Amino acid sequence: MSRSATITWDQYKEICDRPDVLSRWLVQQTAAVCDQGLAERLNAVIESRPLEKPPDHKGGSLLDMFRTEFSIEDVVAITRNVSQANKEGVLTTGPVNRSYSGILKAWQEYERMLTE
């Protein structure tokens, strides 16, 4: 969106509902369980500019959202790494420690988007 236009909540939600639009937190947690090459590609995403947020968005930088363009090969490899972390009982880091099951579902949805 141009600087003169402001993104609305409806527009923001529509964009963020796409499987290839990921939060900073999800990308960081994913990079933590991937091999170095994948982790570098994931970290490059969060070094880019996040999507514009609606003016009254209350979330901090962990809720920044990024449009991504991973290949099917990368997404399959990422899904495999996240699945392994989930099976091993690895927990996310941050204020609340959770299993990787939700992150796994997000990557599986991304994979489905690329294969359908």
Side-chain angles (χ1 to χ4, degrees):
M1 308 223 73
S2 70
R3 290 196 179 273
S4 61
T6 301
I7 191 167
T8 66
W9 271 105
D10 287 340
Q11 292 167 322
Y12 187 71
K13 288 176 186 177
E14 183 177 340
I15 294 167
C16 292
D17 281 345
R18 292 182 47 89
D20 58 346
V21 176
L22 306 171
S23 71
R24 179 183 304 276
W25 180 86
L26 186 139
V27 174
Q28 288 173 333
Q29 298 303 311
T30 300
V33 298
C34 285
D35 64 54
Q36 183 178 353
L38 290 172
E40 287 173 1
R41 287 196 284 288
L42 288 157
N43 287 324
V45 167
I46 57 177
E47 291 171 8
S48 68
R49 187 177 190 168
L51 294 174
E52 178 187 359
K53 295 176 185 171
D56 59 341
H57 190 284
K58 303 287 189 233
S61 66
L62 280 180
L63 296 181
D64 285 347
M65 300 297 286
F66 298 86
R67 194 177 312 241
T68 64
E69 294 183 12
F70 290 106
S71 68
I72 184 63
E73 294 81 11
D74 282 346
V75 173
V76 167
I78 291 167
T79 301
R80 190 173 26 251
N81 281 272
V82 172
S83 178
Q84 186 62 38
N86 191 51
K87 286 178 188 170
E88 292 174 4
V90 175
L91 299 177
T92 62
T93 59
V96 177
N97 297 356
R98 295 189 172 120
S99 78
Y100 269 77
S101 62
I103 294 172
L104 177 58
K105 287 177 186 171
W107 284 104
Q108 289 168 333
E109 186 177 342
Y110 196 157
E111 188 174 335
R112 277 191 302 278
M113 180 194 83
L114 294 175
T115 56
E116 291 179 347

